[in-house]
């Protein structure tokens, strides 16, 4: 069956669903198979899950690379086998840390840091997922992976003394495990810690305030308003320059072929006649959003200054 919907949709993942559950439910709601998600959230976690529909599935890999933001609640004085409160408690200890010590420990993780992925994760070792091994009671050595924390701050420290709880906001690179970050903060403080709750608030340009639930999507489907919230694939490339190709070269476009610089309608970016900028714009390896004269989006092309040709990088047009 041909996909009815193409593009990106910002889902609010509710607790109790895996990311794959969301995709499976959407396949039923939208009656189409070509759907993929862009970064797993644990079943207990909530928040932004960007889902790609139809031709948008070509963007899964690119969106997975985007920076993400989270709000996490950490519980001090406990370590678990999953590094969050859904797991088995391995150890408890008294919490004798001050708010100042918590703030200092959290700040220490800004920048690059070598993170050892948890055993309860979907990372594969010798063809098997780590969580499958963990469920069999097998623990294997995991190599640290470099992750980047661009910003981290304590949002709420008012429950440290009474409940051993504090809330952090984290901006980080792909591949960062927030429950491992909580665990590592606990190690640094010497009392252990586990993640109690996680909300993903941003993936690239997609934020929590525009995320919709599966039941809202069902209602929108029935009302015929669903297309209004589906972002077209070019949405995530809006920082790239936009060029239009002459009608005479449209056949080249439709077949996904390369085209020449003289096939462009107008080289002046947004009509600005700045020759210096134009030279910079059309330099080796620059990427462009490519459209036909009637503004149909075809894909992302890379310019070769050596040949004067635009070559397809990601093709989205469907006849």
């Amino acid at each position: 069956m041909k996909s009815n919907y193409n593009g990106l949709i910002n889902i609010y993942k509710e607790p109790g669903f895996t990311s794959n559950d969301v995709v499976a439910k959407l396949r039923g709601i939208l009656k189409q198979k070509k759907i993929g998600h862009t970064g797993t959230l644990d079943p207990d976690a909530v928040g932004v899950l960007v889902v790609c529909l139809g031709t948008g599935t070509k963007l899964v890999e690119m969106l997975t690379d985007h920076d993400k933001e989270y709000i996490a609640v950490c519980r001090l004085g406990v370590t678990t086998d999953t590094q969050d409160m859904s797991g088995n408690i391995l150890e408890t200890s008294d919490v004798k840390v001050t708010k100042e010590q918590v703030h200092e420990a959290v700040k220490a993780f800004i920048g690059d840091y070598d993170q050892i992925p948890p055993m309860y994760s979907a990372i594969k070792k010798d063809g098997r997922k780590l969580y499958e091994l963990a469920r069999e009671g097998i623990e294997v050595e995991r190599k640290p992976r470099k992750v980047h924390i661009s910003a981290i701050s304590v949002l709420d420290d008012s429950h440290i003394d009474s409940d051993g709880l504090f809330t952090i906001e984290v901006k980080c690179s792909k591949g960062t495990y927030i429950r491992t970050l909580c665990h590592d903060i606990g190690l640094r403080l010497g009392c252990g810690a586990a993640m109690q709750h996680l909300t993903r608030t941003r993936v690239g340009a997609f934020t929590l305030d525009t995320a919709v639930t599966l039941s809202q999507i069902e209602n929108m489907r029935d009302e015929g308003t669903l297309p209004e919230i589906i972002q077209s694939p070019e949405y995530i490339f809006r920082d790239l320059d936009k060029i239009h190709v002459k009608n005479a070269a449209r056949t080249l476009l439709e077949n996904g072929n390369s085209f020449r610089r003289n096939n462009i309608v107008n080289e002046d970016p947004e009509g600005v006649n700045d020759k210096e900028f134009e030279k910079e714009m059309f330099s080796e390896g620059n990427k462009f959003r490519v459209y036909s004269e009637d503004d149909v989006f075809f894909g992302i092309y890379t310019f070769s200054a050596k040949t004067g040709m635009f070559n397809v990088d990601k093709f989205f047009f469907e006849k």
Side-chain angles (χ1 to χ4, degrees):
M1 182 196 289
K2 190 179 186 300
S3 295
N4 299 317
Y5 302 104
N6 296 297
L8 310 164
I9 196 161
N10 183 5
I11 300 288
Y12 178 82
K13 192 194 86 64
E14 295 163 280
F17 294 128
T18 67
S19 300
N20 287 331
D21 287 341
V22 172
V23 168
K25 285 176 183 296
L26 271 176
R27 284 185 178 133
I29 293 167
L30 304 182
K31 302 286 188 286
Q32 71 180 60
K33 285 185 181 173
K34 213 171 174 186
I35 300 177
H37 70 77
T38 62
T40 304
L41 270 178
D42 292 336
D44 291 344
V46 299
V48 174
L49 181 72
V50 181
V51 173
C52 299
L53 311 173
T55 55
T57 52
K58 296 175 185 179
L59 295 171
V60 166
E61 208 176 292
M62 297 174 111
L63 276 160
T64 307
D65 287 345
H66 277 221
D67 284 357
K68 299 174 176 71
E69 293 180 16
Y70 298 89
I71 291 174
V73 179
C74 303
R75 178 176 285 281
L76 294 167
V78 61
T79 55
T80 73
D81 57 356
T82 57
Q83 300 180 341
D84 62 17
M85 293 308 294
S86 72
N88 300 309
I89 293 173
L90 302 176
E91 201 177 332
T92 59
S93 63
D94 292 335
V95 179
K96 296 173 182 171
V97 299
T98 64
K99 291 177 181 179
E100 290 73 23
Q101 286 172 320
V102 169
H103 281 261
E104 271 183 42
V106 165
K107 270 186 208 160
F109 288 90
I110 292 173
D112 288 341
Y113 116 80
D114 290 324
Q115 188 181 71
I116 297 171
M119 271 304 297
Y120 280 87
S121 63
I123 294 167
K124 287 186 177 176
K125 171 95 173 176
D126 301 327
R128 293 194 68 196
K129 289 177 178 173
L130 289 183
Y131 68 75
E132 292 171 346
L133 297 171
R135 283 172 186 160
E136 292 169 21
I138 301 165
E139 177 147 2
V140 295
E141 190 184 347
R142 285 98 65 207
K143 286 183 182 168
R145 303 194 307 176
K146 200 170 282 299
V147 297
H148 184 77
I149 310 290
S150 55
I152 185 170
S153 60
V154 177
L155 288 183
D156 183 5
D157 60 9
S158 62
H159 300 283
I160 290 173
D161 297 335
S162 57
D163 305 307
L165 296 175
F166 65 96
T167 304
I168 54 174
E169 183 173 41
V170 186
K171 298 178 184 181
C172 59
S173 64
K174 69 165 185 170
T176 305
Y177 283 91
I178 305 299
R179 53 197 156 100
T180 302
L181 175 62
C182 291
H183 171 85
D184 292 347
I185 290 168
L187 282 180
R188 192 174 183 90
L189 287 164
C191 61
M195 187 180 77
Q196 178 145 314
H197 189 260
L198 183 68
T199 303
R200 184 154 67 195
T201 56
R202 185 178 71 84
V203 175
F206 295 88
T207 54
L208 196 60
D209 58 348
T210 58
V212 292
T213 63
L214 289 172
S215 59
Q216 285 176 302
I217 284 171
E218 276 192 280
N219 291 337
M220 289 173 165
R221 176 204 63 192
D222 295 342
E223 292 163 4
T225 56
L226 191 55
E228 291 170 19
I229 62 154
I230 297 174
Q231 297 287 358
S232 61
E234 75 243 53
Y235 178 72
I236 69 159
F237 301 109
R238 61 197 189 286
D239 55 326
L240 298 180
D241 283 310
K242 176 179 181 178
I243 55 176
H244 291 87
V245 172
K246 293 173 185 171
N247 283 334
R250 178 146 185 156
T251 307
L252 289 175
L253 275 189
E254 290 188 356
N255 292 323
N257 294 327
S258 302
F259 59 88
R260 296 190 178 280
R261 189 168 161 181
N262 61 10
N263 294 132
I264 299 172
V265 174
N266 177 13
E267 286 188 359
D268 289 346
E270 297 300 320
V272 176
N273 191 14
D274 182 343
K275 297 301 173 193
E276 212 176 310
F277 180 72
E278 188 181 302
K279 187 180 176 184
E280 190 183 293
M281 181 175 170
F282 295 100
S283 55
E284 182 66 35
N286 274 5
K287 293 185 187 295
F288 295 85
R289 287 179 291 148
V290 172
Y291 296 76
S292 59
E293 275 198 58
D294 57 353
D295 218 33
V296 173
F297 178 59
F298 276 78
I300 305 303
Y301 286 65
T302 303
F303 181 63
S304 167
K306 292 169 191 155
T307 61
M309 300 285 282
F310 291 84
N311 305 305
V312 72
D313 189 26
K314 283 273 178 190
F315 193 67
F316 294 100
F317 178 74
E318 281 194 342
K319 288 183 183 179

